[in-house]
Amino acid sequence: MNYWIAPSILAADFSRLGDEIRAVLEAGADLIHFDVMDNHYVPNLSVGPLVLTALRDAGIDCTMDVHLMVKPVDRLIGDFLTSGADIISIHPESTEHLHRSLALIREGGARAGIVFNPATSIALLEEVIDLVDLVLIMSVNPGFGGQAFIASSLEKLRLARNVIDASGNEIRLEIDGGIKADNIADAARAGADTFVAGSAIFGSADYPATITTMRENLAAA
Ligand code: DX5
Ligand code: ZN
């Protein structure tokens, strides 16, 4: 299995963001998870497209996995396409017309992701399965890093895995929230192949050691 580990910038030292990203990439991260919060859809405020543009201008060319927690979302999809996002994921609650918003992402040349909150049913996944390249299951309520993993997310991962496999489409299944070295294998066994980790990586003293332990635990899953 080709597992991807995606450190979330939310837990990085923002005064040295470029260096922090280079450090986790050097430590073995596969892509960078870029959390965008608007103090409206979620009760927190993070960073916008200017910051992604600055990182690209500074030569950071890794896969950027942009998680939009903003409402309305459509205009910012355009901004993040221009800034150099590779993957853009959106919440169904953040748009009046999910089908159109997902199409906007692909038309702009990025991969499209759909995000399910802990209390959101994945029933509509089948309706948009041909429009998405990534399904993101939230294992915390969006808005903050450092929260505890919600165990029922494992069942939601299994359900999503079944829908993805039945479609035959090439779609990543990502888990976000409360992922640590000691529960990453549980998420893999439930069907996840892409793992966001903020505080578990950036909050650790040794990024390579933390990512290596995660990979060892994934290999044994
Ligand atoms: C929460 C964000 C997450 C968060 C994860 O709204 O979407 O990506 O940064 O942080 P940890 O890994 O600390 O739970
Ligand atoms: Zn996120």
Side-chain angles (χ1 to χ4, degrees):
M1 174 57 81
N2 174 20
Y3 292 123
W4 293 354
I5 294 177
S8 159
I9 60 159
L10 206 57
D13 176 348
F14 275 102
S15 73
R16 303 184 298 109
L17 187 56
D19 291 344
E20 287 272 77
I21 290 173
R22 286 187 197 93
V24 289
L25 291 170
E26 181 79 11
D30 299 285
L31 67 172
I32 295 296
H33 187 78
F34 194 95
D35 282 307
V36 181
M37 302 177 174
D38 68 347
N39 189 43
H40 172 68
Y41 177 64
V42 292
N44 199 359
L45 187 63
S46 64
V47 291
L50 285 178
V51 174
L52 181 53
T53 299
L55 294 167
R56 290 304 197 203
D57 288 349
I60 291 174
D61 61 1
C62 65
T63 301
M64 281 289 180
D65 171 31
V66 174
H67 177 190
L68 294 183
M69 290 163 275
V70 303
K71 185 178 182 175
V73 71
D74 285 359
R75 201 185 55 77
L76 281 171
I77 288 172
D79 288 355
F80 275 99
L81 288 167
T82 305
S83 300
D86 299 286
I87 306 170
I88 299 178
S89 297
I90 62 173
H91 290 249
E93 301 86 352
S94 70
T95 173
E96 299 296 336
H97 303 286
L98 179 63
H99 191 283
R100 177 185 296 147
S101 299
L102 289 169
L104 273 177
I105 298 170
R106 276 193 174 169
E107 282 162 15
R111 282 175 273 170
I114 183 168
V115 191
F116 293 97
N117 285 332
T120 302
S121 162
I122 64 158
L124 66 76
L125 179 56
E126 284 177 329
E127 307 298 328
V128 295
I129 196 76
D130 292 329
L131 294 175
V132 299
D133 305 287
L134 178 140
V135 175
L136 171 49
I137 303 296
M138 291 303 302
S139 38
V140 297
N141 286 295
F144 302 94
Q147 303 180 80
F149 183 84
I150 296 172
S152 58
S153 317
L154 293 175
E155 181 55 22
K156 197 171 275 180
L157 278 175
R158 287 184 203 102
L159 294 171
R161 170 50 64 198
N162 288 340
V163 176
I164 290 169
D165 288 352
S167 77
N169 295 350
E170 204 174 298
I171 296 173
R172 300 297 296 191
L173 180 54
E174 184 172 46
I175 183 86
D176 182 6
I179 291 291
K180 319 259 174 229
D182 65 6
N183 63 7
I184 198 167
D186 295 336
R189 281 190 294 268
D193 54 27
T194 304
F195 307 86
V196 177
S199 49
I201 293 174
F202 284 110
S204 74
D206 184 337
Y207 301 164
T210 302
I211 292 176
T212 299
T213 304
M214 287 178 163
R215 279 207 199 285
E216 287 168 357
N217 293 349
L218 286 172

